[in-house]
Amino acid sequence: MSQHFDVICVGGGAAGFFTAINIAEKNPKLKVAILERGKEVLTKVRISGGGRCNVTHACFDPNELVKFYPRGEKELKGPFNQFCSGDTIEWFEKHGVELKIEEDGRMFPVSNSSQTIIDCFMNAASKSGIKILTSQSVQSLFKAEDFWKIDTQHDKFTATKLVLSTGSNPKMWEMLEGLGHSIVPAVPSLFTFNITDKRIKELPGVSALATVKVKNTKLEATGPLLVTHWGLSGPAILKLSAWGARILAEKKYQFAISVNWLNDMDLAEAEELLKKFRQEEAKKQIAKRAPFDFPNRLWESIVVHSGIPAETKWADLSKLQMNNLAEQLTEGTYQVSGKSTFKDEFVTAGGIDLKEINFKTMQSKLFDSLYFAGEVVNIDAITGGFNFQNAWTSGFIVSEAIF
């Protein structure tokens, strides 16, 4: 015997809950359910932002906001004009959660705890009478004439309207392919670079503002660069990994990068600067201390690995040594051999082909009673609250359009 609902949201994550709550609040008479394959709901929300939940980003202009999405930039313009970061803040405030802006623009609950967001969703779902069904792994989807049949490993369900908010779930993508949808194969996005290099081996924790380029490609990013035990991380690397997700996958994560530790200074400018130091700091040891705003440990390592003995004074710096040092500072090449997942925040590039979705309604162009929310579609963003904003926006649009 199957259970019937007006709307079933498959996937009990951020997008699934936000969609279901908004549908139920706007249409109190509807029977709404969330099906979750795991034993718990909202697990990604719990760990996001180091357990603080990076709800959104303080970027309030839709035309600027879309620039943080390597995939989906063009398609999200319309949706963000309907529901943007400011609307997210207002929505959470109405539901009793105050958000705060951090220096880098990321937004978190004032409580600094993802539990606040989980409690907010669970309370709102309970108030709206949404049925939350866990351990319900969907085994098959079938479109009958005027309803959907959904079979899980335990139960059978039918729904007038179906919302898929299943994130990067290969099994669901396979089922959608079976229904005729095209799936862009998933590759990792948002990862750090594994690098074994004597110049940075002893420097975990050191950070500098730098420009990083992937050699023989157009990929380039500027931002804080962090040395880790396994290589390089930080916003500059994460940007590169997101924008270069497909290119770097094709290279099997074996490639060379060029690092400009002086950010926007080129080789000739760096040489001029070093010449100036040679005159002004003549009696001082070069390696002892960086003569400008630069991490001292990194400076010392670069000096020594430019072939300049640690005790060398500025006055004794040869032209060749100066050239080597300028080169290491502005054009140092580092070999990447592999990647590591960034914290626990596993994000993929891939999903339902964007050409098959109506972005005014988040509706499937193949089935008018099928809707999508969150990362199940081929949209992903860099770190900073942007992936959640896509979940909120797409969920809101579904709720406006579904009945």
Side-chain angles (χ1 to χ4, degrees):
M1 182 72 183
S2 64
Q3 301 176 57
H4 181 76
F5 290 91
D6 296 302
V7 183
I8 286 180
C9 293
V10 181
F17 265 81
F18 198 78
T19 309
I21 291 164
N22 278 282
I23 291 169
E25 287 181 349
K26 284 167 192 166
N27 309 275
K29 289 180 182 163
L30 295 182
K31 277 181 77 183
V32 181
I34 293 171
L35 300 188
E36 165 56 41
R37 63 178 170 159
K39 287 182 184 155
E40 279 183 49
V41 291
L42 300 165
T43 49
K44 217 171 168 185
V45 170
R46 188 177 297 285
I47 60 168
S48 88
R52 297 196 298 141
C53 190
N54 184 185
V55 176
T56 186
H57 202 94
C59 175
F60 303 111
D61 177 354
N63 294 333
E64 287 304 308
L65 188 58
V66 292
K67 291 176 185 168
F68 295 96
Y69 296 80
R71 283 145 294 274
E73 181 178 343
K74 185 170 96 263
E75 291 79 5
L76 284 172
K77 263 194 185 158
F80 283 158
N81 273 293
Q82 273 191 303
F83 192 90
C84 204
S85 320
D87 302 300
T88 298
I89 297 165
E90 197 183 322
W91 190 94
F92 278 101
E93 265 178 16
K94 273 188 188 159
H95 289 79
V97 177
E98 204 184 327
L99 303 180
K100 59 172 179 171
I101 303 173
E102 304 220 325
E103 259 178 54
D104 57 5
R106 292 182 305 159
M107 297 196 72
F108 294 90
V110 168
S111 67
N112 269 334
S113 170
S114 56
Q115 192 61 45
T116 304
I117 305 300
I118 293 169
D119 292 345
C120 166
F121 284 164
M122 295 305 281
N123 292 337
S126 167
K127 230 182 245 180
S128 296
I130 295 164
K131 199 142 192 197
I132 299 164
L133 301 155
T134 53
S135 300
Q136 297 283 355
S137 176
V138 173
Q139 305 299 307
S140 70
L141 289 175
F142 175 74
K143 176 71 174 78
E145 205 165 302
D146 51 3
F147 61 87
W148 285 89
K149 282 176 73 175
I150 303 119
D151 290 356
T152 71
Q153 81 275 43
H154 299 305
D155 299 296
K156 292 181 187 304
F157 301 92
T158 58
T160 311
K161 303 279 174 87
L162 179 63
V163 181
L164 295 183
S165 50
T166 45
S168 307
N169 181 342
K171 200 168 136 194
M172 290 308 298
W173 283 333
E174 217 173 278
M175 279 183 225
L176 283 165
E177 263 187 319
L179 289 167
H181 266 291
S182 313
I183 305 297
V184 178
V187 295
S189 177
L190 284 195
F191 49 85
T192 61
F193 294 176
N194 295 354
I195 297 169
T196 308
D197 192 292
K198 55 186 190 291
R199 287 168 290 181
I200 56 171
K201 190 171 184 287
E202 306 297 328
L203 304 177
V206 168
S207 173
L209 186 67
T211 297
V212 187
K213 296 177 183 177
V214 176
K215 292 201 152 190
N216 305 317
T217 73
K218 288 179 182 168
L219 293 170
E220 180 179 327
T222 296
L225 188 59
L226 175 69
V227 181
T228 67
H229 288 287
W230 58 89
L232 290 174
S233 181
I237 298 295
L238 294 171
K239 276 185 216 168
L240 278 186
S241 74
W243 259 270
R246 299 217 162 269
I247 295 166
L248 302 181
E250 280 164 22
K251 292 180 179 292
K252 297 187 166 53
Y253 309 106
Q254 307 289 323
F255 54 92
I257 59 170
S258 158
V259 177
N260 184 344
W261 294 103
L262 301 180
N263 188 14
D264 52 3
M265 197 181 287
D266 65 19
L267 181 67
E269 288 170 321
E271 282 188 339
E272 280 307 309
L273 189 68
L274 295 175
K275 270 183 203 162
K276 190 169 150 240
F277 293 148
R278 189 167 59 179
Q279 285 173 338
E280 291 173 3
E281 315 269 342
K283 292 177 181 175
K284 291 182 182 168
Q285 279 186 14
I286 300 169
K288 264 280 187 284
R289 201 170 66 83
F292 50 97
D293 188 19
F294 198 76
N296 284 323
R297 283 166 63 211
L298 178 60
W299 170 258
E300 190 182 342
S301 177
I302 288 176
V303 168
V304 170
H305 289 108
S306 300
I308 302 165
E311 62 283 353
T312 309
K313 292 198 166 95
W314 277 102
D316 303 324
L317 187 66
S318 73
K319 195 165 183 243
L320 179 65
Q321 286 172 326
M322 193 187 325
N323 184 261
N324 282 349
L325 181 54
E327 222 166 71
Q328 286 294 337
L329 286 167
T330 58
E331 297 175 359
T333 297
Y334 295 78
Q335 198 58 46
V336 176
S337 51
K339 60 171 178 56
S340 294
T341 302
F342 174 61
K343 298 185 180 169
D344 295 316
E345 299 183 26
F346 186 66
V347 174
T348 58
I352 301 156
D353 195 319
L354 303 183
K355 292 199 265 318
E356 298 175 357
I357 298 160
N358 176 352
F359 278 87
K360 288 188 172 127
T361 56
M362 294 310 294
Q363 215 165 3
S364 157
K365 286 183 180 175
L366 278 62
F367 304 95
D368 59 11
S369 54
L370 176 62
Y371 297 78
F372 305 114
E375 287 175 50
V376 66
V377 305
N378 184 27
I379 287 177
D380 62 285
I382 63 168
T383 183
F386 303 106
N387 283 303
F388 273 142
Q389 184 56 50
N390 170 44
W392 316 141
T393 295
S394 51
F396 176 83
I397 286 171
V398 171
S399 76
E400 290 280 281
I402 199 160
F403 274 102

